[in-house]
Amino acid sequence: MNTLANTTASPQPDHPKGAMQIVPNALLGVPDLGNVARASRATIYAWIAAGLMTPPIKLGSKSSAWPAFEVNAILAARIAGKSDDEIRALVIQLTAARKHCA
C-alpha cells in the first residue's frame, strides 16, 4: 500500500509561487531571468541584441533588472508559438510602455 496516501499533510500546490507571482512588479536580475527563461547570460543578451527581449532597466551604476510582467509576456508569447517578428513587436510595445508606468 502507498504510505503517502495515508499522510495527513496538506497538499502542496502544483507550482510553487515564485517572486513574479508574489510580487507582480518584481524586478528580475540576470540570475533570476536566467532561471525563469532557462537561458544563460550570453543568451539573454543575444536575445536583447536580436530584439527578442526587452533591455534591462538600470537600477544603479552596477545594477539592472527586468520587470517580471515583461518577462512573463515574452515567455507567454514564446509558449503560444509566436514568431520572432511577433515577439519583436511585443518587445517594442513593452519598451515603449515603460514611459507611461509612473
Side-chain angles (χ1 to χ4, degrees):
M1 178 171 213
N2 184 347
T3 57
L4 291 177
N6 295 330
T7 61
T8 58
S10 61
Q12 295 295 318
D14 289 339
H15 302 287
K17 291 190 183 246
M20 293 186 303
Q21 293 169 321
I22 296 169
V23 183
N25 291 326
L27 295 173
L28 305 176
V30 171
D32 300 321
L33 178 55
N35 287 334
V36 170
R38 305 292 300 159
S40 69
R41 177 185 199 88
T43 298
I44 292 167
Y45 282 97
W47 287 343
I48 294 167
L52 299 172
M53 177 61 69
T54 55
I57 294 170
K58 203 71 173 141
L59 301 175
S61 63
K62 296 182 181 182
S63 179
S64 58
W66 289 262
F69 71 90
E70 290 181 2
V71 174
N72 282 337
I74 293 166
L75 293 178
R78 285 187 180 279
I79 291 167
K82 301 292 185 182
S83 70
D84 284 354
D85 287 337
E86 291 171 310
I87 293 173
R88 283 184 189 96
L90 174 61
V91 167
I92 290 167
Q93 289 175 343
L94 291 169
T95 303
R98 289 178 177 179
K99 296 174 185 175
H100 308 290
C101 282

